[in-house]
């Protein structure tokens, strides 16, 4: 089964590049099958990791950044793949 973990944070205004650098530099204890990092308007950063694991598996996740860097708590979601669409 493929599980995707999504981690999304919003930086304090004007610190989006710093948050992006923090997320990109942060290594996980175990390497996922795939990892992608995105940025969006509003100084938001999204990291998606894909794992070959059961839905409820214990998987490493990015932690909360320092409070001075983020405007709110990190949002996290977990999804399981239901197959590829053509």
């Amino acid at each position: 089964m493929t599980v995707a973990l999504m981690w999304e944070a919003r930086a304090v205004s004007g610190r989006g590049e710093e948050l992006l650098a923090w997320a990109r530099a942060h290594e996980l204890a175990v390497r996922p099958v795939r990892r992608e990092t995105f940025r969006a308007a509003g100084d938001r950063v999204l990291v998606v990791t894909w794992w070959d694991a059961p839905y409820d598996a214990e998987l490493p996740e990015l932690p909360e950044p320092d409070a001075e860097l983020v405007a709110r708590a990190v949002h996290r979601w977990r999804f399981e793949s239901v197959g590829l669409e053509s």
Side-chain angles (χ1 to χ4, degrees):
M1 171 184 300
T2 301
V3 176
L5 301 183
M6 295 178 65
W7 177 100
E8 187 263 342
R10 183 179 194 123
V12 170
S13 183
R15 296 187 70 185
E17 288 299 320
E18 190 177 343
L19 179 60
L20 177 62
W22 179 93
R24 294 180 82 185
H26 194 88
E27 295 291 326
L28 297 171
V30 178
R31 187 179 188 115
V33 173
R34 181 175 165 192
R35 176 177 171 162
E36 280 192 73
T37 304
F38 303 85
R39 66 175 155 199
D43 290 320
R44 291 177 294 146
V45 174
L46 172 70
V47 178
V48 183
T49 56
W50 285 263
W51 305 87
D52 184 16
Y55 182 79
D56 58 353
E58 296 239 1
L59 299 169
E61 296 188 53
L62 291 174
E64 295 275 336
D66 290 336
E68 306 84 44
L69 185 57
V70 292
R72 59 161 167 74
V74 169
H75 293 174
R76 301 169 193 273
W77 301 275
R78 182 177 288 227
F79 297 90
E80 66 182 315
S81 175
V82 294
L84 296 174
E85 309 275 330
S86 55

